[in-house]
Amino acid sequence: MSKTPPSATYFFTQVEHEILKSVCAYMVGVPSDAALDIPVITIDTFVKQLPKALRTQLRFALLLFQWGPPLFLWKPCRFTQLDPRDAVKYIEGWAKSRLRVRRKLFRGLRDVAFLGYYSTR
């Protein structure tokens, strides 16, 4: 499943890059078509400098977030395929989950999304 990273990134694969753009767009509340404005390269550069354990956790969180809708929302699709209303509901479910680990993974992804978004504002 791991593809070669795009030339503009260092840590994330091309697939993870696309997931990250979608996650970031919803986390910071920008329209999906504006997701291209979120500088994933900034996030990627930051993540590359993190300790290996944190990088691994972030990658795990991103993939779990992508593949979690069948488990947490009962929708037979990936996060990037959800309609906007379901995507917002899904994110809120992560933020308010009774599972501490799920809330922690949410906060990590949210913080990374805001890092990328506000790095150019």
Side-chain angles (χ1 to χ4, degrees), residues 1-118:
M1 179 175 150
S2 184
K3 294 184 180 181
T4 307
S7 59
T9 62
Y10 305 103
F11 177 73
F12 296 108
T13 65
Q14 182 66 39
V15 171
E16 292 165 340
H17 183 247
E18 296 304 316
I19 298 166
L20 186 61
K21 283 189 342 186
S22 182
V23 168
C24 288
Y26 281 106
M27 291 282 188
V28 299
V30 297
S32 295
D33 49 335
L36 297 174
D37 295 339
I38 296 174
V40 177
I41 188 67
T42 302
I43 296 169
D44 206 296
T45 302
F46 172 75
V47 170
K48 184 180 177 189
Q49 298 171 31
L50 293 174
K52 184 177 181 177
L54 287 176
R55 290 192 314 254
T56 301
Q57 289 174 12
L58 185 58
R59 179 169 271 149
F60 172 75
L62 190 62
L63 293 175
L64 182 60
F65 204 85
Q66 169 72 338
W67 294 97
L71 296 170
F72 302 118
L73 197 60
W74 299 102
K75 297 279 184 175
C77 62
R78 295 172 294 214
F79 171 72
T80 53
Q81 296 172 325
L82 290 173
D83 64 57
R85 190 177 67 187
D86 284 338
V88 169
K89 182 178 174 183
Y90 180 63
I91 290 170
E92 288 173 356
W94 274 73
K96 298 174 182 175
S97 176
R98 292 183 297 157
L99 300 173
R100 184 173 181 226
V101 68
R102 201 167 156 216
R103 289 190 317 269
K104 285 180 81 172
L105 292 175
F106 163 79
R107 284 193 301 269
L109 288 174
R110 180 200 60 200
D111 292 351
V112 165
F114 278 99
L115 168 78
Y117 182 72
Y118 286 110

